[in-house]
Amino acid sequence: MPRYLLWFRIIVLSFILGLFLFQKQINTTNISDYWVEREVKIEGVLIRNPIEIEDKKYLAIKPIYQDQDNAKNLKDLILVSVPFYQDIHKGDKILLMGKLQANTYNPFDVFLNNKLVYTIYNGTIQIVEPSLHKDFLFMWRNSIIAKIKEMFLPRESFLASMILVGKSGGYNKDIDNMFRQAGLSHILVVSGLHLTMFTDILNYLVYMLPVGLIFVFSINLIFILFFILLIGFTGSLLRASIMILLHIIGKANHRVYNMTNALLLSSFVILLFNPQTLFVDLGFQLSFLSVLCLVYISPIITDVLTLYFPNEKWKSVIFALSVVLSIFIGMTPFLIYKTNSISLISPLANLIIVPLITPLLCLLVVGVCLNFVWDSLFWFVNIIISGYLKFILFLVSLFASVKYANYPIGGLSLIVMCIYYLILIVFLIKYYKKHLYLTFSF
């Protein structure tokens, strides 16, 4: 069977399976109008550690008892938002009071995408029974955040903790808005980009040792599992994890790594667990689309730029430009459709800021580890990292202050977006058929 037909059948079967499971879950979810807009008093258990977003904590609650004089029993999971300062942990038994509404939002991992049926905004909670078994990784992550707060001033500590562990232990609206205005919000969300940077650093160090590929694979597997458990099972992280492991497996077996095949396989695995991820997880959608941009659009831009700048000294600049421009070309219509705005400064901002993040990650890891060992001895390390963080914040503020850096635009219709991508796909097919080095057979 031709290769492209095999992949076509896999894609079609995956899509049909996803739609079937998605439709089945929609039909079997007990969204009862009886509970919507009702004041409830429910005893429940936290089944995930809280998610911190802006000035709120979001909780996933499994009801175990409700004080209601009726025959109906609420069994569906509930998403609850509470003030940021409340100290709550996975496994805590709580008493929840508030008005139930149908849920349309989910900040949790891909395994809870379709299970949080109801929501209570600004609910009132009381801890009935604290959990006796604290989540070690959750506590360790909080200790890292606390150590970062000791090392730096509030603005720098917020940026450092968001980049390192994806949580800050606080909320800085000015910095969050500043990064969003400059089109750099993805830096404040630990995603596949961060995991790739971490594994690149790890593999650079491991390959310096006289070890085999099996050892390299084992180290990467342990690190990736630890990282995902520490940060959370987001669609972007799962996608990047599977692709990285496939790359190492292919290298160990002397096989050519095909990014398209790896992307399709990783997406298939994620959608197999929860097909609704395809529809509701924006992080997964952006992650999937960005990789496609890098695979198919970036090489074309690289070829064009190389014609004008054939000198080898421009190679790194051309690579960086092709990455940024390919993502801008491929993702802008989708982002306009989702956000009703366009970041005009984003390509330039990403071209300058993103390369600065890998050295920052190295400095933060070394600095935090040294401060856990002996904080008073390594004060000079904190000064260096603090200066680096201030420099990045200064650059981001410059980009965010540019007029029309983030320009609001009228809603882009689904039809217009589909026409754009159809034209783009036709162009890519014709280009790669002509140049005969396509990584995925059309």
Side-chain angles (χ1 to χ4, degrees), residues 268-373:
F268 176 73
V269 172
I270 294 170
L271 296 178
L272 195 62
F273 279 99
N274 194 337
Q276 198 175 8
T277 304
L278 181 64
F279 300 92
V280 299
D281 191 334
L282 181 60
F284 173 79
Q285 296 165 356
L286 294 175
S287 179
F288 185 91
L289 186 57
S290 64
V291 175
L292 287 178
C293 294
L294 295 178
V295 173
Y296 293 112
I297 303 178
S298 181
I300 299 176
I301 298 175
T302 300
D303 287 350
V304 173
L305 292 176
T306 303
L307 290 175
Y308 293 95
F309 304 96
N311 197 309
E312 191 69 18
K313 66 181 181 180
W314 292 104
K315 188 174 181 179
S316 298
V317 177
I318 290 173
F319 174 77
L321 273 173
S322 64
V323 168
V324 171
L325 292 176
S326 64
I327 291 178
F328 184 77
I329 293 170
M331 296 183 65
T332 297
F334 183 75
L335 289 173
I336 294 174
Y337 175 73
K338 287 289 185 178
T339 64
N340 294 326
S341 64
I342 180 172
S343 180
L344 300 176
I345 201 67
S346 176
L348 179 61
N350 278 277
L351 184 65
I352 294 175
I353 299 297
V354 171
L356 299 176
I357 300 302
T358 300
L360 177 59
L361 285 173
C362 296
L363 288 172
L364 286 173
V365 170
V366 172
V368 171
C369 291
L370 291 177
N371 275 268
F372 269 115
V373 175

Side-chain angles (χ1 to χ4, degrees), residues 119-351:
T119 187
I120 296 179
Y121 293 107
N122 301 317
T124 302
I125 63 170
Q126 298 175 7
I127 299 179
V128 176
E129 183 181 335
S131 173
L132 298 177
H133 305 285
K134 299 298 183 183
D135 189 326
F136 167 74
L137 288 173
F138 182 75
M139 295 174 64
W140 194 62
R141 186 182 68 192
N142 286 344
S143 66
I144 293 175
I145 295 172
K147 178 58 67 175
I148 289 175
K149 285 184 175 181
E150 294 176 9
M151 295 168 59
F152 309 116
L153 295 173
R155 284 172 60 85
E156 289 81 42
S157 67
F158 173 80
L159 178 59
S161 56
M162 289 298 292
I163 289 176
L164 195 59
V165 295
K167 302 290 182 292
S168 64
Y171 176 59
N172 193 309
K173 186 176 182 180
D174 292 337
I175 293 180
D176 189 69
N177 289 337
M178 190 168 66
F179 273 77
R180 185 180 294 112
Q181 189 76 6
L184 296 166
S185 296
H186 58 95
I187 291 177
L188 298 181
V189 180
V190 176
S191 60
L193 172 67
H194 296 71
L195 179 59
T196 302
M197 289 180 177
F198 273 120
T199 53
D200 284 346
I201 296 168
L202 176 65
N203 288 325
Y204 176 79
L205 297 174
V206 172
Y207 280 126
M208 295 173 65
L209 304 174
V211 295
L213 287 173
I214 295 178
F215 179 81
V216 174
F217 175 78
S218 302
I219 290 294
N220 276 269
L221 179 61
I222 293 170
F223 174 77
I224 287 172
L225 288 174
F226 172 79
F227 190 80
I228 290 178
L229 289 171
L230 183 68
I231 304 301
F233 291 87
T234 65
S236 174
L237 279 181
L238 289 174
R239 190 273 309 159
S241 302
I242 296 172
M243 292 186 69
I244 291 169
L245 293 176
L246 287 173
H247 175 62
I248 298 172
I249 293 172
K251 196 170 184 178
N253 290 279
H254 307 288
R255 301 289 297 272
V256 176
Y257 178 68
N258 188 298
M259 284 188 68
T260 302
N261 294 349
L263 178 62
L264 289 173
L265 181 58
S266 62
S267 303
F268 176 73
V269 172
I270 294 170
L271 296 178
L272 195 62
F273 279 99
N274 194 337
Q276 198 175 8
T277 304
L278 181 64
F279 300 92
V280 299
D281 191 334
L282 181 60
F284 173 79
Q285 296 165 356
L286 294 175
S287 179
F288 185 91
L289 186 57
S290 64
V291 175
L292 287 178
C293 294
L294 295 178
V295 173
Y296 293 112
I297 303 178
S298 181
I300 299 176
I301 298 175
T302 300
D303 287 350
V304 173
L305 292 176
T306 303
L307 290 175
Y308 293 95
F309 304 96
N311 197 309
E312 191 69 18
K313 66 181 181 180
W314 292 104
K315 188 174 181 179
S316 298
V317 177
I318 290 173
F319 174 77
L321 273 173
S322 64
V323 168
V324 171
L325 292 176
S326 64
I327 291 178
F328 184 77
I329 293 170
M331 296 183 65
T332 297
F334 183 75
L335 289 173
I336 294 174
Y337 175 73
K338 287 289 185 178
T339 64
N340 294 326
S341 64
I342 180 172
S343 180
L344 300 176
I345 201 67
S346 176
L348 179 61
N350 278 277
L351 184 65

